[in-house]
Amino acid sequence: MELQDRLQQLSDQGIGVAAISYDSEEVLADFAQRRGITFPLLSDDDSEVITEFGILNTVAYEMQGPNRDDPEVVADVAKYVSVFGAPPMIAGTPFPGTFMVDRRGRVTSRFFEEFYRERNTTANILLKLGGGLSPIEAVRGETAHLKLTAYPSNPSITIGTRFSLAVEIEPNPNIHIYAPGAEEMGYRVISFDLAPVPHVRYEPVEFPESEIYYFEPLDERVPTYQRPFTLLQEAVVLGGADAEEALAQLDALTLSGTLNYQACDDKICFEPVSLPLSFTLDLDLLDRQRVNR
């Protein structure tokens, strides 16, 4: 389990971990023993705290009511509760997500999903918050204009995993790389383009804030990157039943694409460059084993 595997790294960054569930102490104890979990698993079996945080999944109750056969209710249950329906034992479950809380108990950020089977990884959350990660199976490269380190947030993924591919780029001295907005002036903006993969959805690439480069001979002010920066490509392994069936036949998933950019110095703009990048991630099975609540 990723949280357990990264427990020391999180502690080194001053981050504590606790998980809360509507499951009973017996269910959580069984899960912790099977998965070797040492951080607190908190039982909120009456969903009191879940309700106070405003994340009680009320859709689960609709399936127990008079409108349970309504097509809209059935569709909502499949999206927000379970593709297998909502038996009475599901009532009380929260919408799955993560809160980041400071030492004063104030929520500083939160991460929740539309589809209950899609979950952010711990590493992905840290990357989005700007936290450092030890690159896993990093791809390192160098061109005449820059150095790069590319790596996945997670070495293994499963159905519904929301993760990121990070590309850390360090331009060489006196080199600038064109950032979004520079295309309006005819320059080639840096991009990270991945080939489509069945049952994987790509989100738009996240670009950091750029800085303006002033090119006096043409009186141009162009958005560029001149200092080290990171591109984040977020991806989601789809959580539907068809994706689960198809991916169950695989041990790994390979994502391939290219990093494309144009670089210039103070005197000359170089030819555009395309660098191939590839990442192979292990595929894990979901843990569906549980004891009775």
Side-chain angles (χ1 to χ4, degrees), residues 130-144:
L133 282 177
S134 300
I136 302 169
E137 299 181 359
V139 176
R140 292 179 171 83
E142 185 173 351
T143 71

Side-chain angles (χ1 to χ4, degrees), residues 182-227:
E183 71 277 7
E184 298 176 3
M185 302 176 186
Y187 297 104
R188 184 171 182 176
V189 170
I190 189 167
S191 66
F192 183 27
D193 302 316
L194 289 169
V197 173
H199 310 298
V200 175
R201 182 180 78 246
Y202 298 128
E203 305 291 4
V205 174
E206 296 182 26
F207 294 90
E209 185 176 353
S210 60
E211 56 185 310
I212 297 299
Y213 173 79
Y214 177 60
F215 187 53
E216 187 173 1
L218 295 179
D219 191 27
E220 282 186 339
R221 289 174 171 80
V222 190
T224 63
Y225 298 117
Q226 302 174 53
R227 291 173 286 191

